[in-house]
Amino acid sequence: MLAELFAAAAHGCRDRSPLTQRLLTDAADDLRQGGVTARIMAGSERDREGTVPGLRFAGAVHRLVLEGRAPGLAKHYPSVGGQPHLPTLWEDALPALNAHADVLRQRVLATVVQTNEPGRSAPLYGGLMVAAQEAAKAAGRHVPFCVRLLEVGASGGLNLRPHHVGYQLEDTVLGDPDSLLVLDPEWTGRPSADLSHRLRVVGRAGCDLNPVDLSTEDGRLHLSSFVWPDQLERWNRLRDALDLAATDPVRVDRSAGPEWLAKQLARVERDVLTVVWHSVVWQYVSPADRAMGRAVLADAAAKATPTTPLALLVFEPRRTDDDYRFELLLKLWPAGISLNLGHGAGHGTPFTWNVTPWE
């Protein structure tokens, strides 16, 4: 079963990270043969698909490289200046895997995947613009609502500052043109909102079961290890996002989502749109916590008023016939609006805006 999960993770990397695909494909074969990968993954044999054991393994190996503990493997990793040579990748990986098997096993067992991809701020920004203006329209206001952003599964909180990011659209930069992080959102179409308005964020908070402290070298290495090492654009984007975070710290509380959300939503702010946000986190949440979270949100939605509106904005994968599609979904209360705003790559860019009902 574990080998099949590794193979599935390798398939998910196809055309996007040849290095990770090859590493996980060879690791799956090694698992079947009872090789060193089986020793590293001991204790994870019954992991469910949502815990993505293959990506935890790949992240642990990448961290070894980032720490300078696998020089023979580093020559394949562009994140440290290497150049992949896929036919010899596994051969060069084996010495590092054998030498550090115990360390890798501890990390795989103790780690949850923390992508915290800052590229997701691009669809989030557009979605917040739509939400603020649709809520205002429903309340009969001429000015968009200010936003209070609550992120569940926030990791290190990199996506809790969308108003401090720049978004390059042809010859125009939305958001903050002087930001340390300027994204090319690669949008097809545009959000159904007046983009000349400024997004005003008046409150931000996040929670995570395992929050990452971005002020520490350990935290930065942890997030960096989960970036596919041959995707240098994402690598550079993360570096800029970490630099931005250092100038604009946001606290992420260590808490389960439902309990934290109940406390946050108990405080109602007049003339502010409260937006609950999560991205690519649903697969990691237990069925019990999913049900509790829905109940907490439903209770708050029932109390929302035109002057204290509530929104749910999520960017999560939906299964298609042969793969997954990441969709940006918006619900607004008490307006009763449910919209599918579009779809994009799992890392947030590129993204296609195409508003349809959320069914």
Side-chain angles (χ1 to χ4, degrees):
M1 176 62 177
L2 197 55
E4 282 66 41
L5 293 182
F6 269 57
H11 178 73
C13 301
R14 72 193 188 285
D15 303 325
R16 292 180 286 178
S17 178
L19 186 152
T20 307
Q21 181 182 26
R22 184 59 178 262
L23 177 72
L24 292 179
T25 298
D26 290 342
D29 291 339
D30 190 59
L31 271 170
R32 295 185 186 100
Q33 296 165 18
V36 64
T37 311
R39 180 152 61 101
I40 293 168
M41 299 305 297
S44 302
E45 293 87 353
R46 296 190 178 184
D47 282 7
R48 59 185 178 86
E49 181 181 6
T51 67
V52 284
L55 296 186
R56 293 185 352 246
F57 171 84
V61 173
H62 190 192
R63 178 153 180 168
L64 274 186
V65 171
L66 295 176
E67 292 171 335
R69 301 171 72 178
L73 185 56
K75 64 185 179 184
H76 296 277
Y77 276 63
S79 55
V80 291
Q83 180 65 42
H85 183 251
L86 300 184
T88 60
L89 174 66
W90 187 250
E91 176 186 337
D92 289 330
L94 281 173
L97 299 183
N98 281 296
H100 302 288
D102 291 339
V103 169
L104 290 169
R105 179 172 179 269
Q106 290 170 6
R107 288 181 176 173
V108 166
L109 286 172
T111 298
V112 293
V113 173
Q114 297 268 21
T115 53
N116 206 196
E117 170 56 55
R120 294 175 191 142
S121 282
L124 170 62
Y125 177 86
L128 289 174
M129 294 286 282
V130 173
Q133 294 180 34
E134 289 292 337
K137 205 182 305 179
R141 296 165 51 116
H142 299 294
V143 178
F145 273 96
C146 298
V147 168
R148 174 188 176 212
L149 185 59
L150 305 177
E151 184 175 14
V152 177
S155 184
L158 290 181
N159 289 309
L160 277 168
R161 49 188 66 80
H163 55 314
H164 290 324
V165 176
Y167 307 92
Q168 181 72 55
L169 296 181
E170 298 167 352
D171 58 351
T172 301
V173 180
L174 303 178
D176 182 358
D178 298 318
S179 175
L180 293 171
L181 174 61
V182 178
L183 299 176
D184 176 2
E186 298 181 66
W187 284 351
T188 297
R190 294 290 183 268
S192 55
D194 183 351
L195 298 180
S196 66
H197 285 288
R198 184 170 63 91
L199 175 64
R200 296 175 297 163
V201 178
V202 295
R204 299 170 291 168
C207 77
D208 199 279
L209 285 174
N210 299 281
V212 179
D213 186 351
L214 302 182
S215 69
T216 67
E217 180 65 14
D218 179 72
R220 292 189 291 272
L221 273 172
H222 185 66
L223 286 189
S224 300
S225 70
F226 289 111
V227 176
W228 290 334
D230 47 355
Q231 291 194 324
L232 288 181
E233 183 178 355
R234 286 185 62 214
W235 182 259
N236 293 330
R237 191 160 65 201
L238 178 61
R239 300 274 73 72
D240 291 344
L242 290 171
D243 289 344
L244 175 60
T247 70
D248 178 37
V250 182
R251 176 178 171 178
V252 178
D253 296 320
R254 184 180 298 275
S255 176
E259 291 87 348
W260 179 85
L261 196 58
K263 291 178 183 177
Q264 294 292 326
L265 294 178
R267 190 178 86 249
V268 177
E269 297 189 20
R270 188 177 177 83
D271 295 322
V272 171
L273 171 64
T274 297
V275 180
V276 176
W277 154 256
H278 59 78
S279 66
V280 197
V281 72
W282 205 234
Q283 70 195 59
Y284 305 113
V285 180
S286 70
D289 275 358
R290 291 184 191 183
M292 288 174 61
R294 288 190 181 104
V296 167
L297 195 63
D299 181 64
K303 299 172 183 175
T305 72
T307 57
T308 59
L310 175 68
L312 173 67
L313 183 65
V314 305
F315 184 63
E316 296 285 352
R318 280 187 167 187
R319 190 180 291 276
T320 62
D321 290 340
D322 60 350
D323 207 344
Y324 289 91
R325 188 164 90 158
F326 293 80
E327 297 179 338
L328 185 66
L329 307 172
L330 171 67
K331 283 185 180 288
L332 276 169
W333 298 278
I337 294 173
S338 297
L339 299 174
N340 184 325
L341 299 179
H343 62 274
H347 301 129
T349 61
F351 188 86
T352 298
W353 295 93
N354 180 29
V355 178
T356 58
W358 177 359
E359 299 174 351

